[in-house]
Amino acid sequence: MGISKIVMALDDQPMWASINRHALELQKCTECGAFRYPPAPVCPNDLNDKADWVPVTGRGEIISWVVFHKKYFDDHAPLYNSTAVRLDEGPIIVTQLRGEEPGGSWIGQRVELVYAEHAGRSQHFAHWLKSEAA
Amino acid sequence: MARTAHAYIAGAYELPERYYPDKTLAQLQAEAALGALADAGLTIDDVDGFFCGPDAPGTGPLSIADYLNLKLRHFDTTNTSGSSYTVHVAHAAEAIAAGKCDVALITLAGRPRAEGRAKGALARTDNPQQPDFQWEQPYGLAVLNVYAMVARRHMHEYGTTAEQLAWVKVAASHHAQHNPNARLRDLVTVEEVVGSPLVCDPLHRLDCCVVTDGGGALIVTRPEIAKSLKRPLVRLIGSAETTQGQNGGYMDITTSGAARTGPAALAEAGVGIGDIKYASLYDSFTITVLMQLEDLGFCAKGQGGAFVSDGGLISGTGRIAINTDGGGLCNNHPSNRGGMTKVIEAVRQLRGEAHPAVQVPDCDLALVNAIGGQLAVRHAPATLILERAA
């Protein structure tokens, strides 16, 4: 078992630093302007290796979600969810919905990233924007 | 582009057991190799090309080539996870056409059950330096999560239901009941599949493939050698491979790369999807089959649920017979790498050597598709078109 691990290669360090500041930043290509995720040395559109680390709004829409009924990690006790969110800036990220859950399908529901300590590190989680319910 | 030279699959062998506590991995590799050679009517001295994946112990081909005393002119250790061995068939044909080898041996063996690594879909232990892994790693995601993500999204976009996915498992169980070596031989119903425990909602335990020890091997050779042997002729007439990833976070998770490899392989073969009599489709999970049926063109995108329903995949009565050995869902998924057994069952069908209860009548054209890696985030589909030759 063991706890889930983060990916912390050189490209990832600025992102995790931004998560520690509770304000997610992602790379934005200086050529085409596209945000990308996961962090990568070049833009997938044009292979430009120059990017700015830019804060994202943290708002987006759930595109899919799953609920684990089986334990795989010591720091994620069932039932726990993994939720794929398409950020308003474009890229799909994976996070975990916390707090109130939408009834029925979560897909299309609006969420906003929040931050909390988890397994000795800061991580982002999603809060349902009930007032913007789909 | 049409092929100018066709290679043949002259030998195919699947190890009979699904649990090997008393045999080494190297021994299983050897038994698989010798079984395929015996099937072809060739000997180890005829082999001059060797294709293996990382399941072969040692560095690349080195240890097993030494263990089998191979005298090689060519080798290839392409690793695309479960589709590796499907890719190897295509690469062997290319090597043969290029004159680099005459008799190519492809092996797979593993013993995850005997080694205590068959604990269902394991937590990920990949290299944390893997750059594209950020997508799923920190949120407690295991192997099956992305498949469940795809299934949920497919349900949302197309109205696919858990009961429809269950039909994929039901068909596999109908076939596996006739396979004495199958890991799971009991017939299951739709109700039993959707009533089995949720592992990762929306996928149930019975939506998942088995984990088995075992393996198999294939012999790919030149036309003149294949024709000198006494086995029915199975010819590779089309193939395609690709990779698909996250594209910087902009991927469409309900379309796999098989949407490219299927049409490309069919075009190379000069046949249509409607001509296919039998298909081996990688069935890591029920949703994996549904996605391939759509992406390969057996049905329109979004129609997979209806296509598989009511026994749509059962040999003899369904719309298309798939995985008549019981597939990875019921028969065999050695070392979590299903591409090998997919080719072996297609060869049986084209030879007319499948179990009589599941043999497709006059099966002269088959499609094999494997999805290595994981849907949505990183995978390598590989498609083969195989025909029975006179």
Side-chain angles (χ1 to χ4, degrees):
Chain A
M1 199 69 67
I3 67 166
S4 65
K5 294 182 174 63
I6 62 171
V7 179
M8 186 63 93
L10 286 175
D11 294 319
D12 303 303
Q13 291 175 5
M15 184 187 77
W16 285 105
S18 74
I19 292 171
N20 283 333
R21 295 191 300 271
H22 292 191
L24 177 65
E25 294 178 5
L26 294 179
Q27 290 157 297
K28 188 175 191 295
C29 177
T30 58
E31 278 298 320
C32 72
F35 281 88
R36 64 177 178 261
Y37 182 87
V42 295
C43 173
N45 297 327
D46 49 28
L47 300 188
N48 173 30
D49 66 357
K50 295 183 176 56
D52 298 318
W53 284 92
V54 177
V56 295
T57 59
R59 295 166 67 92
E61 179 182 312
I62 294 175
I63 67 147
S64 194
W65 91 105
V66 299
V67 179
F68 279 89
H69 288 244
K70 184 171 158 58
K71 185 172 181 179
Y72 291 97
F73 297 95
D74 288 333
D75 57 321
H76 290 288
L79 306 169
Y80 68 92
N81 72 77
S82 295
T83 301
V85 173
R86 188 187 306 284
L87 295 173
D88 289 349
E89 287 78 8
I92 301 168
I93 67 167
V94 166
T95 185
Q96 192 171 79
L97 188 77
R98 285 195 171 176
E100 187 176 1
E101 298 176 358
S105 177
W106 298 6
I107 294 175
Q109 297 291 343
R110 298 279 302 164
V111 294
E112 183 171 50
L113 296 182
V114 297
Y115 299 84
E117 296 307 298
H118 173 88
R121 61 187 186 247
S122 287
Q123 263 186 217
H124 55 70
F125 298 90
H127 268 183
W128 181 32
L129 292 171
K130 193 175 182 179
S131 61
E132 300 178 20
Chain B
M1 176 103 39
R3 282 174 183 257
T4 54
H6 295 294
Y8 288 66
I9 300 179
Y13 179 71
E14 181 180 12
L15 290 168
E17 305 297 326
R18 303 293 177 259
Y19 181 51
Y20 282 103
D22 301 321
K23 292 188 177 181
T24 65
L25 194 49
Q27 186 173 357
L28 295 179
Q29 292 269 345
E31 288 186 11
L34 294 173
L37 285 163
D39 178 60
L42 293 166
T43 73
I44 201 78
D45 293 332
D46 296 311
V47 174
D48 61 354
F50 180 46
F51 294 69
C52 66
D55 53 279
T59 300
L62 296 180
S63 294
I64 294 300
D66 182 34
Y67 189 78
L68 295 176
N69 197 22
L70 300 176
K71 304 292 188 286
L72 298 178
R73 293 199 291 135
H74 188 78
F75 53 80
D76 181 335
T77 56
T78 298
N79 175 23
T80 56
S81 195
S83 62
S84 302
Y85 318 90
T86 318
V87 171
H88 290 166
V89 171
H91 288 191
E94 292 160 14
I96 289 165
K100 295 299 182 184
C101 61
D102 294 318
V103 175
L105 166 68
I106 307 169
T107 64
L108 161 71
R111 47 200 300 280
R113 294 180 70 200
E115 293 168 7
R117 292 184 289 110
K119 302 283 197 294
L122 296 170
R124 299 313 302 253
T125 53
D126 299 53
N127 181 354
Q129 292 279 344
Q130 183 180 328
D132 56 342
F133 213 40
Q134 192 74 260
W135 200 75
E136 65 252 47
Q137 180 76 351
Y139 290 89
L141 302 194
V143 173
L144 81 172
N145 89 87
V146 282
Y147 288 85
M149 285 272 191
V150 169
R152 180 89 76 189
R153 182 76 193 176
H154 202 280
M155 290 170 166
H156 170 80
E157 290 186 20
Y158 305 113
T160 308
T161 66
E163 287 74 14
Q164 289 175 328
L165 289 176
W167 272 109
V168 179
K169 179 75 163 194
V170 170
S173 78
H174 270 262
H175 298 148
Q177 66 176 324
H178 303 295
N179 181 350
N181 297 330
R183 176 87 172 91
L184 304 175
R185 294 193 65 196
D186 293 338
L187 276 177
V188 298
T189 65
V190 167
E191 292 70 27
E192 286 170 328
V193 177
V194 298
S196 66
L198 282 165
V199 181
C200 185
D201 191 2
L203 295 180
H204 306 79
R205 178 182 292 165
L206 294 185
D207 284 301
C208 307
C209 62
V210 298
V211 179
T212 50
D213 297 353
L218 297 162
I219 303 296
V220 181
T221 190
R222 335 178 53 82
E224 51 273 32
I225 294 175
K227 290 171 183 173
S228 74
L229 303 170
K230 296 184 170 47
R231 302 295 278 132
L233 292 171
V234 173
R235 179 161 57 188
L236 177 70
I237 57 171
S239 69
E241 64 201 43
T242 192
T243 63
Q244 184 170 313
Q246 298 168 36
N247 190 31
Y250 296 83
M251 66 284 206
D252 169 7
I253 71 171
T254 51
T255 300
S256 77
R260 298 192 300 281
T261 60
L266 289 163
E268 187 181 52
V271 300
I273 194 75
D275 301 322
I276 301 295
K277 303 276 184 59
Y278 165 81
S280 281
L281 304 181
Y282 201 117
D283 51 348
S284 48
F285 301 92
T286 51
I287 182 64
T288 322
V289 172
L290 204 81
M291 288 275 288
Q292 289 167 92
L293 287 165
E294 295 174 349
D295 292 338
L296 294 165
F298 284 102
C299 62
K301 195 72 200 170
Q303 297 301 307
F307 189 86
V308 304
S309 290
D310 304 317
L313 306 181
I314 297 175
S315 183
T317 57
R319 296 172 183 88
I320 179 81
I322 76 149
N323 302 347
T324 42
D325 60 338
L329 286 168
C330 290
N331 170 34
N332 199 8
H333 192 219
S335 203
N336 293 319
R337 289 168 165 262
M340 171 66 71
T341 51
K342 293 290 166 286
V343 181
I344 292 172
E345 182 64 6
V347 170
R348 289 193 193 105
Q349 281 285 353
L350 291 165
R351 287 173 168 179
E353 296 177 353
H355 189 282
V358 298
Q359 176 67 49
V360 174
D362 193 29
C363 185
D364 57 0
L365 193 64
L367 179 152
V368 176
N369 193 74
I371 300 268
Q374 292 173 267
L375 286 180
V377 289
R378 65 190 73 78
H379 61 272
T383 309
L384 306 177
I385 309 296
L386 299 169
E387 75 170 1
R388 186 183 65 208

